[in-house]
Amino acid sequence: MQKKAKVFFLVIMDIILINLAYYLALYLRFDGNIEVKYLNTYIDNALIITLLKIVVFHYFKLYKSLWRYASIDELLNVVVASIVANAGVISLLFARQTFLPRSIYAITTMLDMILLGGIRFSYRALRRISGSRLSSRKDFKHIMIIGAGDAGAMVIRELKNHTQLNSKPVAIIDDDLLKKGQRINGVPVMGQRVDIVTVANKMDIDEIIIAIPSAGKSEIRNIVTECKKTRCKLKILPGMYELIDGKVSIKEIRDVQIEDLLGRDEVKLNIDEISGYLKDKRILVTGGGGSIGSELCRQIAKFKPNELCVLDIYENNAYDLQNELKRKYKDLNLKVYIASVRDKKRIDEVMKEIRPDVIFHAAAHKHVPLMEDNPKEAIKNNVFGTLNLAQAADTYGVKRFVMISTDKAVNPTNIMGASKRICEMIIQSIDKKSETEFVAVRFGNVLGSNGSVIPLFKKQIMEGGPVTVTHPEIIRYFMTIPEAAQLVIQAGAMAKGGEIFVLDMGEPVKIIDLARDLIRLSGFEPDEDIPIVFTGLRQGEKLFEELLLDEEGMRSTAHEKIFIGKPVFTDYKLMLKSIDTLKEIIDGSDCAALRDYVQQIVPTYIRNNTGLTNKSSSGVCVEEVSVSK
């Protein structure tokens, strides 16, 4: 009812203003002495003229705009509607052989623009005045905008229009010296990036919004680093690739996330190359319900496979992913299989039914401390499961097999890393005797994945702390889940068989810095509001992960973030014999004997490592070249 009342009010006001415009036009044309014949001519046609103009204004949606948010677009709409309406009146009067002085039409058109536009924009002006009065209240947050471009201007306008947000933009920061001292929508540009802290203190800033959607991730990281020197809450407008039609609205502004601090630019994919091996193909993703597996499925679905099959032992994750993919991709041919890669018979059944063209093998046990306590399960799931799947792929003529590995497979200091290295050796050795192209993709930690440090830190912060870090000097390499999945898919497109693809993980990150950043992003101060406690390195944990690009034999590819390590183990028969021995040890021996034999298979596996020395004396990663018989 309220909406209809507003429309009714506007229509009534327009009827009055339309007729007032003609009267004023006649008054101005004849200097106050209106000739009666022209006045009578208008009065005789007033009803049809008014009706015609109202219809035109309705067509131009002048009664549907939210005038409290009126901008230049709405003003232009009023101008065009007025011109079209008066052109229609001229045509109508000409058809009726009724005429007014030609100057009347021009004056009326101008008056329509002024009166109709004025009544609408006066509503916004009154709201702006009342909003300014309200914004003087002390409970309004003081907002600093980073970026004096179009996005920054739109953010300021949105904040001023939404007074219910209790947010008042008071300062703008931009590195363009020419903009300093200028104003955007009444808000002054007060300095450059180096002035953020000074301006924040001077203007008593509560919140900073970064509004530079065209900026790269590395630039955003630098800006965020400067903003962290203040104690303001940080928010950001997503990059242009995340915005629809480049339009800014309040709902798109989000909190700065830990991914924004990583400073890694978006992955550039060779779409043609990827489409060639995914589009219209049958794709199987094992461990499809996990962090990497589920993201692989999301990315693969975009390439319109003939059939996407998800295999996972954990039904809840698989169920959630199934619902998500069905909702987002209506035409996706999706099948979900609940199975364990350890079950050779079940894997053969699934493979016989699917007969996939491409397999992405992401199913694995990956938690280092848990696998240290349960080494047999690590070998059963990772090693035997990979062998089951690889042999089935060979049997059923799979075109390409891509296994997800880890940087922990390089000079491993834990059973999980050693088991993944054995998986790589299986892949490289079976590739030499199979028509299937077997490859592995090795990368480091993934931000936000299940069991990663980020969800743990967030939970600890929510509970009020303390945040636990194993060692003050521990460092790791990180990438985002979408980046990891995209690079895995891209690496798969490059596969020739037998390669270990190594992903460029960028700069290493100190975990203590990650913890502090996450505490600040949560609105607290490290060691003041939330304490940080060092718990000591866990069994099998390294202080420094290996630098992936140090691996012997590394060479570049056409993609700047993907490198190849040359195959160093290819004896498949010897590999099978070693795995048979592993099975015997698991069935009849204790964990110590298992670790001893794993160390024979993987000579670079260093047991009971303290994590303080991870490099060979030369500083180069060392790969094993043989397997003990």
Side-chain angles (χ1 to χ4, degrees), residues 286-287 311-313 338-348 350 361 363-365 371 374-392 423 583 586-587:
T286 70
L311 186 146
D312 203 291
I313 188 61
I338 302 302
S340 169
V341 292
R342 291 161 58 165
D343 188 341
K344 185 175 179 61
K345 183 178 179 181
R346 173 62 173 152
I347 291 299
D348 283 338
V350 172
H361 177 36
H365 285 327
M371 293 306 101
N374 301 274
K376 291 184 178 181
E377 297 306 306
I379 298 299
K380 288 178 185 177
N381 197 66
N382 295 357
V383 176
F384 300 161
T386 297
L387 181 64
N388 290 340
L389 199 65
Q391 289 177 333
C423 293
K583 291 178 180 178
I586 285 177
D587 290 338

Side-chain angles (χ1 to χ4, degrees), residues 191-211:
Q192 298 175 280
R193 190 182 308 179
V194 294
D195 302 312
I196 288 175
V197 176
T198 302
V199 174
N201 292 332
K202 179 180 178 181
M203 301 302 294
D204 194 23
I205 300 297
D206 301 300
E207 188 173 289
I208 298 174
I209 298 177
I210 301 170

Side-chain angles (χ1 to χ4, degrees), residues 257-394:
Q257 299 168 352
I258 202 70
E259 289 84 352
D260 297 310
L261 300 177
L262 199 58
R264 295 177 65 88
D265 291 324
E266 297 306 307
V267 176
K268 297 176 182 177
L269 299 177
N270 186 329
I271 302 301
D272 293 336
E273 193 175 32
I274 291 172
S275 297
Y277 88 106
L278 294 182
K279 183 176 172 57
D280 297 326
K281 299 295 193 298
R282 294 183 302 277
I283 314 296
L284 170 65
V285 180
T286 70
S291 305
I292 299 297
S294 62
E295 185 61 27
L296 280 171
C297 292
R298 295 182 190 100
Q299 301 289 342
I300 292 166
K302 298 176 183 178
F303 292 96
K304 299 180 180 180
N306 175 273
E307 183 176 271
L308 175 58
C309 302
V310 178
L311 186 146
D312 203 291
I313 188 61
Y314 186 45
E315 61 176 315
N316 292 344
N317 283 350
Y319 176 74
D320 291 341
L321 180 65
Q322 181 184 48
N323 288 336
E324 177 189 338
L325 292 177
K326 282 185 174 181
R327 186 172 64 253
K328 290 183 178 179
Y329 303 97
K330 305 293 185 184
D331 298 327
L332 178 65
N333 182 12
L334 177 68
K335 292 183 179 179
V336 177
Y337 295 88
I338 302 302
S340 169
V341 292
R342 291 161 58 165
D343 188 341
K344 185 175 179 61
K345 183 178 179 181
R346 173 62 173 152
I347 291 299
D348 283 338
E349 290 174 353
V350 172
M351 291 289 289
K352 186 176 182 179
E353 178 182 338
I354 301 173
R355 295 188 177 272
D357 297 297
V358 182
I359 294 177
F360 289 92
H361 177 36
H365 285 327
K366 66 175 185 177
H367 298 290
V368 171
L370 284 177
M371 293 306 101
E372 285 301 287
D373 293 335
N374 301 274
K376 291 184 178 181
E377 297 306 306
I379 298 299
K380 288 178 185 177
N381 197 66
N382 295 357
V383 176
F384 300 161
T386 297
L387 181 64
N388 290 340
L389 199 65
Q391 289 177 333
D394 176 48

Side-chain angles (χ1 to χ4, degrees), residues 426-442:
I426 292 172
I427 294 306
Q428 289 185 317
S429 60
I430 196 173
D431 178 75
K432 296 303 176 183
K433 50 93 49 189
S434 174
E435 293 297 319
T436 301
E437 296 168 347
F438 288 92
V439 298
V441 181
R442 184 191 291 164

